[in-house]
Amino acid sequence: MREPAVLFVCLGNICRSPMAEGAFRAAAEAAGLRVTIDSAGTAGYHIGEAPDPRAQETARRNGVEIGHLRGRQLVEEDFRRFTHVLVMDHSNLANARAVVPADAISAPQLLLDWVPGREGAAVADPYYGGEEHFEDTWSDVTRAAQALVQALQG
Ligand code: 4NP
């Protein structure tokens, strides 16, 4: 089987998807899982930028460094490279579907579809919210990361 490659996708690639990338990298390393990991945004507003300071602080408080990550936009080639393209909400899903090429190896899917009982749910956008919203994001992406590591190890 081909080695898994997981891409996390949100709107700006500065809040939710870099947090998901960091949480999943930590969970995969702890489990000894070999996997390619990256994140991207459906929009181009924050290309080249570091994650939002609130996202960095929340990750750091939870023992994960994401300050080195830089924003980039989702491109067609991602659907040829990544076995899993996991989006945060329904708007991301519609935007990502518009980028899928004819020869894609994967289709975009909601991240929380991997968490039993949360199928079909969205990871809420914390950008216009407060600290507690970033902690909620961390909690959601961490639960999904753990479920995903288990599934990929299976
Ligand atoms: P993200 O959050 O999609 O989780 O990275 C956002 C970041 C930036 C914007 C919206 C959401 N923005 O409108 O610039």
Side-chain angles (χ1 to χ4, degrees):
M1 205 182 77
R2 100 186 265 152
E3 189 175 304
V6 180
L7 181 68
F8 298 96
V9 175
C10 62
L11 175 62
N13 194 207
I14 56 166
C15 296
R16 292 166 292 175
S17 62
M19 292 170 84
E21 176 176 354
F24 182 63
R25 182 166 288 115
E29 279 175 6
L33 178 70
R34 278 174 55 96
V35 54
T36 297
I37 310 168
D38 198 5
S39 64
T42 60
Y45 317 135
H46 300 285
I47 292 170
E49 292 181 20
D52 185 288
R54 298 166 296 176
Q56 292 190 45
E57 282 158 22
T58 303
R60 202 170 289 131
R61 241 191 336 268
N62 287 281
V64 178
E65 183 54 50
I66 60 170
H68 57 289
L69 301 178
R70 293 295 177 268
R72 75 167 179 88
Q73 193 166 11
L74 180 70
V75 292
E76 276 193 11
E77 184 61 17
D78 288 322
F79 290 98
R80 303 186 186 100
R81 287 182 52 213
F82 289 90
T83 58
H84 297 73
V85 178
L86 303 175
V87 307
M88 302 298 143
D89 63 29
H90 300 83
S91 167
N92 302 155
L93 193 56
N95 291 331
R97 280 179 174 150
V99 180
V100 178
D103 58 349
I105 62 163
S106 57
Q109 179 190 23
L110 287 169
L111 176 66
L112 290 181
D113 279 355
W114 287 89
V115 179
R118 303 285 304 280
E119 297 91 345
V123 178
D125 186 351
Y127 188 65
Y128 297 103
E131 282 292 317
E132 71 277 19
H133 294 96
F134 281 81
E135 280 297 339
D136 291 344
T137 304
W138 187 259
S139 166
D140 280 352
V141 300
T142 299
R143 287 178 63 192
Q146 286 163 351
L148 195 55
V149 164
Q150 276 196 349
L152 293 176
Q153 266 186 328

